Each structure stands twice: as structure tokens, then as C-alpha cells.
């Protein structure tokens, strides 16, 4: 706490890990009185959290025609979502397939979306539900037809071939890993809400006169949302 208060003399922006919300409760009022803009991502109390869409930056790059940069950011996101626990060969296969599915489905979401309101993790979860639909169902057949119709060199097709066009057992093994990664979003309407749009603008940190304090309140007794915090920090450092 003392370091936070002393840092206000130089007026630098701050990014604060705050597992129990104690730093926010103790210092946010003081910081605000010193002219700081206060942001908070609160995974203990979603009703008191700001909102941040992890797909926003990559989608903006896509819209500006910076496709390679957008793809790199998408792949980084997929890597953080799935993680690196691939010590066994079989686990490596499932994990690589899961990363490819998230990369491919995100790229497909960018390609098919009419506006940014549909570009979010909730939409990825809906796409996952279609991919998990029973074999020969309308959703499955529609998805098969669409992916099959893509050009052979399409990165979307390359990423989705294993998880969409492969044998059912292989597909379900890969999509099981994706489901585990997106489980926090699939099960919680509140989590979907705070990751569907932005009230936190990472680009504000890059301004010369920025005075921002962002508190990340995430439980330290469980790791459910640690990957999301890693993604937030990664994108922030990429921007600044």
C-alpha cells in the first residue's frame, strides 16, 4: 500500500494484482482524488467489475486489414487459453488441436460477423456448441459444408479441419479440451457479460499523460481465471 501511495508522486499508471480486493478498498479512493482513472476487473464480484473483451484488439486489426498481426494475436490468445501442459504425446495432440480450433473459430467469427457486438467469447462458445452437436445433425452438416467449401490454403480451414472434419472420436477429444478451456465462460452469464464489450480501454495506457490504476481482483485460492488475467497483461504490454 505504501508503495502505491508513494508512486503517485511521479504519477505513473499502475496495473495492480489484488487477489482479495484489499488494495482496491484501501487505495482506490485516494488514487481517484489524485486524478487517477480507476479500472477494476473483479472476478470475486462480477457486479462490481469493469468489462474487457479479449477479442477486441485482434478484431480491430482484422478490420484495418492487418491480417498477419490479427492472426498472431489470435494464436497468442489460443495459446494462453489452452496452456502448455503437453508433457505426454497424446496430450500434445489434443492441446494442439484445441489451440487450432480456437484460432480457426475466432478467425471465422471475424470473417462472418457483421459488427463487433457479436465478436466475443460467448459467440465462440456458441460455435463450440455447434461443433459438439450430434453427428448428422443440421448444425453439424451445416458446419461441415461451410468448412469443406473453404479454399485449401485458408488458415480457417487448416485450423478447423482436425476438429470439424475429422472422425467423431478425434473431434470430441479435441473439443473436450476446448470445452475445459472455455468452461468459465460457458457456465456463467456474468462472465460472458463482462467479456462481451469494453469499458476498459488498453490504449489509454499508451497516452503520454495517462494516469490510470487498474486493479485485477482475481482469487488466489483457485486458478480458474488466471489465464484471463495473463491475456489482459499480455495485450496491455503489446499495446504500450
Amino acid at each position: 500500500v505504501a508503495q502505491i501511495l508513494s508512486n503517485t508522486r511521479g504519477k505513473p499508471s499502475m496495473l495492480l494484482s489484488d487477489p482479495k480486493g484489499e488494495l482496491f478498498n484501501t487505495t482506490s479512493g485516494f488514487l481517484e482524488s489524485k486524478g487517477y482513472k480507476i479500472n477494476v476487473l473483479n472476478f470475486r464480484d462480477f457486479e462490481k467489475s469493469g468489462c474487457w473483451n479479449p477479442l477486441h484488439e485482434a478484431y480491430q486489426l482484422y478490420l484495418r486489414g492487418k491480417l498477419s498481426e490479427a492472426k498472431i494475436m489470435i494464436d497468442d490468445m489460443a495459446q494462453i487459453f489452452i496452456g502448455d501442459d503437453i508433457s505426454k504425446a497424446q496430450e500434445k495432440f489434443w492441446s494442439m488441436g484445441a489451440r487450432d480450433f480456437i484460432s480457426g473459430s475466432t478467425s471465422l467469427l471475424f470473417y462472418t460477423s457483421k459488427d463487433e457486438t457479436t465478436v466475443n467469447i460467448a459467440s465462440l462458445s456458441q460455435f463450440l456448441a455447434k461443433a459438439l452437436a450430434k453427428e448428422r445433425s443440421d448444425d453439424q452438416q451445416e458446419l461441415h459444408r461451410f468448412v469443406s467449401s473453404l479454399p485449401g490454403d485458408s488458415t480457417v480451414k487448416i485450423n478447423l479441419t482436425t476438429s470439424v472434419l475429422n472422425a467423431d472420436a478425434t473431434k470430441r477429444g479435441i473439443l473436450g479440451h476446448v470445452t475445459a478451456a472455455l468452461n468459465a465462460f460457458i457456465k456463467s452469464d456474468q462472465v460472458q457479460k463482462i467479456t462481451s464489450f469494453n469499458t476498459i480501454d488498453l490504449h489509454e495506457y499508451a497516452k503520454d499523460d495517462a494516469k490510470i490504476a487498474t486493479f485485477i481482483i482475481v482469487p488466489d485460492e483457485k486458478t480458474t481465471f488466471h489465464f484471463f488475467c495473463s491475456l489482459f497483461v499480455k495485450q496491455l504490454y503489446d499495446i504500450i
Side-chain angles (χ1 to χ4, degrees):
V1 173
Q3 185 176 354
I4 295 171
L5 301 181
S6 65
N7 279 349
T8 61
R9 296 168 189 166
K11 299 181 179 179
S13 289
M14 306 179 195
L15 179 63
L16 304 160
S17 175
D18 188 10
K20 292 181 170 57
E22 294 169 341
L23 293 178
F24 176 80
N25 292 333
T26 304
T27 66
S28 60
F30 173 80
L31 291 172
E32 193 167 23
S33 74
K34 293 295 183 180
Y36 277 79
K37 178 178 181 180
I38 305 299
N39 295 324
V40 58
L41 280 174
N42 193 333
F43 291 98
R44 286 190 178 274
D45 187 345
F46 299 115
E47 294 295 329
K48 296 180 180 179
S49 178
C51 301
W52 179 66
N53 180 356
L55 304 188
H56 170 81
E57 295 299 334
Y59 186 57
Q60 293 305 308
L61 290 171
Y62 173 83
L63 292 178
R64 296 200 297 270
K66 297 183 177 182
L67 305 186
S68 295
E69 293 178 45
K71 185 65 168 61
I72 290 171
M73 188 168 280
I74 290 169
D75 288 345
D76 285 346
M77 180 189 72
Q79 175 76 30
I80 290 172
F81 272 26
I82 299 302
D84 293 311
D85 187 16
I86 50 176
S87 54
K88 298 180 181 179
Q90 186 72 1
E91 285 297 310
K92 183 175 181 179
F93 175 80
W94 299 130
S95 295
M96 290 179 64
R99 288 198 293 265
D100 283 348
F101 178 86
I102 290 177
S103 293
S105 56
T106 302
S107 297
L108 182 60
L109 182 61
F110 288 3
Y111 177 75
T112 57
S113 292
K114 303 299 182 183
D115 61 78
E116 191 173 358
T117 61
T118 60
V119 178
N120 48 54
I121 304 295
S123 294
L124 280 186
S125 299
Q126 292 169 10
F127 184 80
L128 174 62
K130 283 191 174 185
L132 284 168
K134 291 182 179 180
E135 199 69 21
R136 302 179 184 275
S137 68
D138 290 342
D139 281 343
Q140 273 284 331
Q141 291 184 26
E142 179 187 359
L143 191 55
H144 273 247
R145 284 194 298 269
F146 181 81
V147 174
S148 298
S149 70
L150 295 171
D153 60 351
S154 163
T155 56
V156 174
K157 186 170 187 174
I158 292 170
N159 284 150
L160 291 180
T161 292
T162 304
S163 53
V164 173
L165 301 181
N166 220 317
D168 194 51
T170 301
K171 176 177 63 180
R172 290 193 174 276
I174 291 170
L175 296 183
H177 272 58
V178 178
T179 301
L182 297 182
N183 203 35
F185 302 93
I186 294 170
K187 287 188 173 182
S188 173
D189 291 339
Q190 290 178 310
V191 176
Q192 289 187 19
K193 178 182 177 182
I194 70 170
T195 59
S196 291
F197 61 97
N198 286 339
T199 59
I200 298 173
D201 182 359
L202 299 184
H203 289 272
E204 290 183 340
Y205 269 88
K207 296 178 180 178
D208 291 337
D209 59 347
K211 287 178 60 179
I212 306 166
T214 299
F215 295 82
I216 301 179
I217 301 173
V218 59
D220 54 357
E221 67 271 15
K222 55 184 179 179
T223 62
T224 306
F225 296 107
H226 287 189
F227 76 95
F228 188 80
C229 300
S230 297
L231 186 59
F232 182 88
V233 173
K234 173 73 169 63
Q235 289 195 17
L236 176 59
Y237 277 104
D238 284 346
I239 288 170
I240 62 176

